Amino acid sequence: MRIEAYAKARDLTDRWAPLLDPDMRKITLPIAGEEVTGYMHLPSGQGRYPMVIVTNGLEGTMQELAFPLLKYRQERIGVFIMEMPGTYAYKKPMSTASEAVYNGVIDYVAAQPKVDPGRIAMVGTSFGGYWSARMAAVNPRLCCAVASGAPVEHAFATSNAFGLPAIIVSTMQKVMGAKGLLDLGSKMEALSFAKGNLYRNIKIPLLVINGDNDTLIGTEDSIELNKKVPASFLKLYENDDHCAMGHYHEWLDLTFAWLKLQFDKPEATSVIMMKQ
């Protein structure tokens, strides 16, 4: 039932997206043994534009990401919307090897004639935020990144696999191909930023967003990410939960304002103030 509903939503989006945004088209890429599907918007007209790769979390879909982003289609910024490896149509579970999928997408957009390869960013929510932060550490093509509600270290402790809501545990088991709680805990630990000191490898500006009371994975990881990445900025929304979804439209506005600052005035990254 879940996959059937997803397929229907995807079919409807395939039909409606080009009508709502004539500059958006569906892209299918063979990468690392997967068929990676995404929606790409490139501004009309001549020139080379900055590009933002947007990725979802455990339960989000491209469709849910695509329609709110239509608001920013006049910003003269390219957007590539994709789903996180391990979810929905992917064949392989999510793991550290999923870096290859994101690397392939980054290479693809960088090669587009209308994309400025020096101005590529990534935005992710929840587990997508994890990948946004991780790719900031491992892919030198990215010039900045945004991570909303990203689990990075504390959320991956083995003990956390026993404390999460049942629906989240079952979803994570499917996405990560885990055979049980112990296996899930092991796979979660392998993703931790504490492995290989990923924090210190993030040299680019990073915007970290969350609610100040994340009851799903905890706000602790957002605070830790901000503390350990020098060129990072933290925005916690008061009285909000995981990914600050109660302030979704507000933080999307903030994200695009911040991205434009990075794209247009890279030397002014310290100008924007994140007030708590």
Side-chain angles (χ1 to χ4, degrees):
M1 182 68 72
R2 174 175 173 270
I3 297 301
E4 289 178 5
Y6 167 75
K8 185 175 182 179
R10 187 162 163 173
D11 179 61
L12 289 171
T13 303
D14 289 349
R15 298 180 186 184
W16 280 99
L19 298 177
L20 296 172
D21 180 4
D23 295 318
M24 182 180 287
R25 60 193 178 100
K26 185 177 179 180
I27 305 292
T28 301
L29 306 171
I31 302 173
E34 297 279 13
E35 192 173 86
V36 181
T37 300
Y39 297 115
M40 185 167 70
H41 162 92
L42 282 171
S44 58
Q46 299 297 315
R48 306 187 84 176
Y49 301 96
M51 169 62 73
V52 183
I53 298 168
V54 185
T55 187
N56 67 307
L58 290 175
E59 286 288 276
T61 65
M62 288 188 296
Q63 295 77 34
E64 292 170 327
L65 294 171
F67 290 105
L69 292 174
L70 288 172
K71 175 182 178 181
Y72 308 99
R73 62 186 180 276
Q74 303 301 325
E75 293 289 355
R76 315 303 288 170
I77 295 174
V79 178
F80 188 98
I81 305 165
M82 62 177 289
E83 284 163 359
M84 184 181 74
T87 60
Y88 300 106
Y90 288 98
K91 301 173 185 176
K92 301 176 183 178
M94 183 185 73
S95 70
T96 55
S98 300
E99 283 183 11
V101 172
Y102 288 110
N103 282 327
V105 170
I106 292 169
D107 288 345
Y108 171 79
V109 299
Q112 299 307 299
K114 294 184 69 175
V115 172
D116 180 347
R119 294 189 293 168
I120 299 175
M122 192 164 169
V123 175
T125 57
S126 193
F127 262 82
Y130 166 83
W131 283 106
S132 184
R134 186 180 183 98
M135 297 313 294
V138 302
N139 192 300
R141 284 191 184 274
L142 295 183
C143 71
C144 60
V146 180
S148 175
V152 291
E153 181 178 343
H154 301 284
F156 291 132
T158 300
S159 58
N160 279 5
F162 295 90
L164 292 170
I167 186 64
I168 298 298
V169 172
S170 63
T171 302
M172 289 180 64
Q173 284 183 286
K174 291 177 184 177
V175 169
M176 301 179 76
K179 298 176 181 178
L181 280 180
L182 289 176
D183 188 30
L184 176 60
S186 177
K187 292 179 183 296
M188 287 171 62
E189 283 197 333
L191 294 171
S192 175
F193 266 44
K195 303 279 187 180
N197 284 319
L198 286 175
Y199 297 106
R200 70 180 182 186
N201 292 336
I202 302 178
K203 310 297 185 183
I204 61 176
L206 178 69
L207 174 58
V208 183
I209 295 170
N210 208 348
D212 68 352
N213 185 32
D214 186 339
T215 60
L216 187 59
I217 65 169
T219 306
E220 188 176 12
D221 272 352
S222 295
I223 295 171
E224 190 81 358
L225 189 57
N226 173 241
K227 284 182 178 179
K228 293 187 175 180
V229 176
S232 67
F233 305 89
L234 176 64
K235 176 62 179 178
L236 297 179
Y237 286 90
E238 189 175 0
N239 299 320
D240 209 341
D241 209 315
H242 183 53
C243 293
M245 295 310 291
H247 294 80
Y248 184 46
H249 295 290
E250 291 179 39
W251 72 249
L252 275 182
D253 286 345
L254 171 64
T255 290
F256 272 81
W258 186 83
L259 288 172
K260 287 193 292 183
L261 183 63
Q262 311 314 310
F263 291 146
D264 298 337
K265 300 177 181 178
E267 72 282 1
T269 57
S270 63
V271 173
I272 193 166
M273 298 298 293
M274 302 297 154
K275 294 183 180 179
Q276 303 304 312

